[in-house]
């Protein structure tokens, strides 16, 4: 005789609606635990869903069988940024739940330009630049998928292989007349004009017909993946909801099928700016743009108020594990245990263990005052690890003073600045404070055995210069 034990569970969706549902512990609990990615609401990495009242339908689909989900990335640069990472991590959670995941690179749609969040038309990119960007983003995505499988997946069963596609593959075979005849007729002008991305632009500087049609092309991407992979789900940033809705409406009209959109929250700075969007706070995922050291430092500098939220978003630690980290932080806040854990996890995911070790070596050399570590680095190591710092090569001249070296290394704009800051104790060579501007630079004292000197200037904003 088989006992059937039913339990009641409650789900709160992104708009605050509450749904009750029951499941059989013996037969369904395993599938619910493994496949139901709506539990990501608990980690604050899902924000909204479309259609709004579809929570129960989505749970039914996810628990009955494996599904397919996709997210799109337009190659407007040759690297993704930290703001894109949350969408990628969302895909990884779907992959961990044994669903098929597709990362779509918009080699075609990038030529049109997504108006979302923009106040003017994007600049047209050359085909050579687009090809370069597509390759860079493809390598970045594949590297993150590989690092996740290698360093974070602890189960015996292998993960489903991710699919990385370029939508240029299907647009090259479609003529403009065919597209307008077969796809364009399913869109309604009133609906297209009602999108926030369109209304914002029309009330400002206006928008080109090219960018106005972007939502139609992104919608067709989903239709193509629906036809080829039975892809019922799309993930995107919350600013993509309008484009996601267009895809859902197109598939509903042409295929009489129901598909679902889920959005992730936009990650912002304290001032409300998007991470990775401006030249002043850009944190890229490719190491040639943002080094593993810079990424590690960016994450470890997370303010206390945000660290628990970012651990939920950017790591695969369980919620109890995160709670324990926060308990330790409350007991010993000076150790910054959750901040270090966040930095290690994110750096390993993006750059692998090799990248993490580079970041730790650089951190030790720069901030832990480890002369021993710095002495072991080669010039190439310094150039790679301290990406972002100013690197100057100088010839050691007999009798050169600290002031001469500092000015040749461009540590100060003027000698007046040099006199003032050095005298105030804001100048260091190899972690040793130097206050005498006339001190002679000598081997073994100011220059390490590997012919490297680490020079640091402390002013209102710390500037680091490495002299070779």
């Amino acid at each position: 005789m088989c006992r059937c034990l039913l339990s009641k569970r409650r789900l709160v969706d992104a708009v605050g609606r509450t749904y009750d549902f029951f499941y059989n512990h013996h037969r369904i609990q395993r599938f619910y635990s493994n496949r139901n990615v709506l539990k990501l609401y608990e980690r604050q990495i899902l924000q909204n869903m479309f259609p709004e009242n579809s929570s129960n339908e989505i749970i039914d689909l996810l628990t009955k069988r494996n599904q397919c989900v996709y997210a799109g990335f337009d190659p407007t640069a040759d690297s993704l940024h930290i703001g894109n990472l949350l969408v990628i991590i969302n895909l990884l959670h779907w992959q961990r739940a044994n669903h098929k995941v597709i990362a779509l690179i918009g080699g075609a749609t990038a030529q049109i330009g997504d108006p979302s969040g923009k106040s003017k038309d994007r600049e047209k990119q050359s085909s050579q630049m687009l090809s370069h960007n597509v390759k860079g983003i493809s390598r970045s995505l594949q590297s993150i998928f590989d690092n996740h499988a290698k360093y974070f997946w602890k189960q015996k069963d292998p993960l489903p292989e991710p699919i990385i596609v370029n939508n240029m593959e299907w647009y090259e075979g479609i003529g403009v007349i065919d597209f307008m005849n077969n796809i364009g007729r399913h869109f309604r002008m009133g609906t297209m004009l009602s999108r926030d991305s369109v209304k914002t632009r029309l009330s400002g500087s206006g928008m080109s017909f090219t960018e106005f049609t972007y939502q139609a092309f992104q919608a067709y991407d989903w239709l193509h993946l629906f036809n080829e992979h039975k892809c019922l789900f799309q993930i995107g940033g919350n600013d993509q909801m309008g484009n996601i809705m267009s895809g859902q409406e197109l598939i509903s009209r042409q295929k009489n099928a129901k598909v679902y959109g889920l959005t992730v929250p936009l990650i912002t700075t304290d001032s409300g700016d998007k991470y990775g969007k401006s030249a002043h706070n850009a944190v890229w995922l490719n190491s040639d743009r943002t080094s593993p050291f810079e990424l590690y430092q960016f994450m470890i500098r997370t303010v206390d108020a945000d660290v628990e939220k970012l651990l939920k978003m950017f790591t695969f630690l369980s919620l109890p594990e995160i709670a324990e980290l926060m308990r330790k932080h409350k007991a010993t806040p000076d150790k910054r245990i959750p901040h270090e854990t966040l930095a290690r996890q994110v750096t390993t995911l993006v750059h692998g263990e090799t990248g993490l070790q580079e970041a730790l070596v650089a951190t030790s050399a720069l901030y832990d005052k480890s002369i021993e570590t710095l002495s072991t680095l080669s010039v190439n190591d310094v150039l790679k690890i301290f990406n972002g710092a100013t690197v100057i090569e100088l010839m050691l001249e007999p009798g050169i003073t600290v002031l001469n070296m500092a000015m040749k290394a461009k540590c100060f704009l003027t000698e007046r600045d040099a006199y003032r800051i050095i005298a105030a104790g804001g100048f260091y060579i190899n972690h040793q404070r130097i206050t005498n501007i006339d001190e002679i630079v000598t081997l073994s004292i100011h220059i390490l055995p590997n012919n490297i000197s680490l020079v640091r200037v402390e002013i209102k904003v710390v500037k680091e210069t490495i002299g070779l």
Side-chain angles (χ1 to χ4, degrees):
M1 181 175 180
C2 177
R3 291 182 60 193
C4 182
L5 179 61
L6 294 179
S7 286
K8 186 177 183 179
R9 289 292 182 267
R10 177 161 289 181
L11 171 75
V12 181
D13 74 8
V15 293
R17 296 181 178 85
T18 302
Y19 300 89
D20 292 332
F21 56 95
F22 294 86
Y23 64 92
N24 183 314
H25 275 283
H26 297 295
R27 300 182 60 189
I28 302 178
Q29 185 178 26
R30 178 170 62 88
F31 296 108
Y32 173 82
S33 299
N34 292 341
R35 290 177 175 168
N36 180 23
V37 293
L38 286 192
K39 62 187 178 182
L40 294 177
Y41 276 114
E42 300 174 0
R43 304 184 72 95
Q44 302 175 45
I45 63 175
L46 286 178
Q47 184 165 352
N48 288 307
M49 67 175 64
F50 184 82
E52 289 182 348
N53 300 317
S54 54
S55 299
N56 290 336
E57 297 172 28
I58 292 174
I59 290 172
D60 288 341
L61 287 168
L62 294 174
T63 55
K64 285 179 181 178
R65 62 181 61 87
N66 297 334
Q67 297 295 333
C68 177
V69 62
Y70 97 95
F73 306 91
D74 272 353
T76 53
D78 61 0
S79 171
L80 299 175
H81 52 74
I82 197 70
N84 301 120
L85 186 58
L86 193 57
V87 175
I88 301 172
I89 287 178
N90 207 298
L91 289 180
L92 293 173
H93 278 289
W94 283 71
Q95 189 187 32
R96 293 165 76 90
N98 207 36
H99 299 296
K100 180 193 294 187
V101 299
I102 300 174
L104 183 151
I105 303 175
T109 44
Q111 299 182 51
I112 298 168
D114 183 0
S116 302
K118 294 294 179 182
S119 59
K120 61 181 181 179
D121 286 0
R122 295 176 185 267
E123 293 185 7
K124 184 177 179 180
Q125 296 189 63
S126 67
S127 58
Q128 293 83 359
M129 179 60 69
L130 276 173
S131 177
H132 171 76
N133 291 349
V134 167
K135 290 178 182 177
I137 290 177
S138 179
R139 286 195 299 269
S140 179
L141 287 167
Q142 189 63 60
S143 176
I144 292 174
F145 279 116
D146 291 344
N147 288 337
H148 168 256
K150 184 175 182 180
Y151 302 115
F152 295 94
W153 183 244
K154 306 302 181 183
Q155 307 301 318
K156 291 182 179 180
D157 295 334
L159 292 163
E161 284 294 323
I163 300 171
I164 300 176
V165 294
N166 179 356
N167 63 8
M168 183 61 77
E169 296 173 10
W170 49 86
Y171 282 111
E172 285 183 326
I174 301 177
V176 63
I177 301 300
D178 287 341
F179 186 85
M180 297 305 295
N181 184 39
N182 297 319
I183 304 302
R185 66 177 59 253
H186 294 287
F187 291 88
R188 295 294 176 264
M189 288 296 298
T191 303
M192 296 179 75
L193 287 167
S194 71
R195 304 300 187 212
D196 288 340
S197 60
V198 175
K199 289 193 297 183
T200 301
R201 288 282 290 278
L202 292 181
S203 64
S205 61
M207 70 187 309
S208 68
F209 173 74
T210 301
E211 289 201 356
F212 177 69
T213 64
Y214 182 89
Q215 56 185 293
F217 285 91
Q218 183 166 323
Y220 181 73
D221 285 341
W222 197 354
L223 175 62
H224 176 85
L225 297 178
F226 175 85
N227 291 333
E228 294 294 318
H229 300 279
K230 198 61 178 179
C231 184
L232 300 185
F233 295 91
Q234 182 181 172
I235 294 286
N238 206 45
D239 60 347
Q240 292 296 307
M241 181 57 84
N243 294 326
I244 292 173
M245 292 167 70
S246 294
Q248 195 269 349
E249 291 164 2
L250 172 62
I251 295 171
S252 175
R253 291 193 180 105
Q254 190 178 84
K255 294 295 183 178
N256 195 29
K258 196 165 186 180
V259 293
Y260 307 87
L262 296 167
T263 66
V264 305
L266 300 178
I267 308 300
T268 58
T269 63
D270 293 339
S271 61
D273 297 327
K274 295 179 186 177
Y275 276 147
K277 284 295 187 180
S278 79
H280 301 291
N281 69 354
V283 179
W284 301 95
L285 302 186
N286 286 9
S287 59
D288 57 344
R289 278 182 169 256
T290 296
S291 70
F293 166 69
E294 291 174 296
L295 176 62
Y296 181 89
Q297 289 299 318
F298 177 80
M299 301 309 297
I300 208 169
R301 290 170 183 159
T302 300
V303 297
D304 286 2
D306 291 339
V307 69
E308 183 176 9
K309 177 184 71 175
L310 295 185
L311 280 168
K312 292 177 181 178
M313 289 180 166
F314 287 117
T315 78
F316 301 99
L317 299 172
S318 69
L319 296 183
E321 287 174 319
I322 293 172
E324 176 62 15
L325 288 174
M326 298 310 299
R327 186 195 65 78
K328 291 180 179 179
H329 180 60
K330 187 175 181 179
T332 55
D334 56 306
K335 292 185 177 181
R336 296 177 64 81
I337 295 173
H339 306 71
E340 182 180 358
T341 302
L342 174 66
R344 284 174 173 266
Q345 295 259 325
V346 173
T347 305
T348 302
L349 179 65
V350 176
H351 297 297
E353 286 190 351
T354 300
L356 175 62
Q357 289 305 313
E358 288 181 10
L360 294 176
V361 168
T363 298
S364 175
L366 192 57
Y367 295 114
D368 296 342
K369 299 184 178 181
S370 175
I371 295 299
E372 292 77 15
T373 300
L374 187 61
S375 299
T376 64
L377 300 178
S378 67
V379 173
N380 288 334
D381 290 334
V382 171
L383 292 172
K384 186 176 183 180
I385 291 174
F386 291 101
N387 181 27
T390 303
V391 179
I392 301 292
E393 185 173 353
L394 299 177
M395 296 295 293
L396 179 61
E397 303 171 3
I400 188 172
T401 66
V402 166
L403 176 62
N404 297 146
M405 185 191 76
M407 296 307 298
K408 286 179 178 291
K410 300 179 181 179
C411 296
F412 305 100
L413 294 177
T414 66
E415 286 195 4
R416 182 177 179 181
D417 291 334
Y419 278 99
R420 176 174 52 83
I421 294 173
I422 294 175
F427 188 70
Y428 296 79
I429 299 179
N430 300 329
H431 300 305
Q432 301 299 313
R433 180 182 279 119
I434 305 295
T435 58
N436 181 7
I437 60 173
D438 296 320
E439 186 173 334
I440 302 298
V441 176
T442 58
L443 291 171
S444 75
I445 297 177
H446 303 97
I447 302 173
L448 298 175
N450 54 358
N451 293 325
I452 291 174
S453 296
L454 177 66
V455 178
R456 188 171 82 248
V457 179
E458 289 187 355
I459 49 178
K460 290 183 179 180
V461 177
V462 177
K463 295 181 180 180
E464 291 128 3
T465 302
I466 302 170
L468 302 183

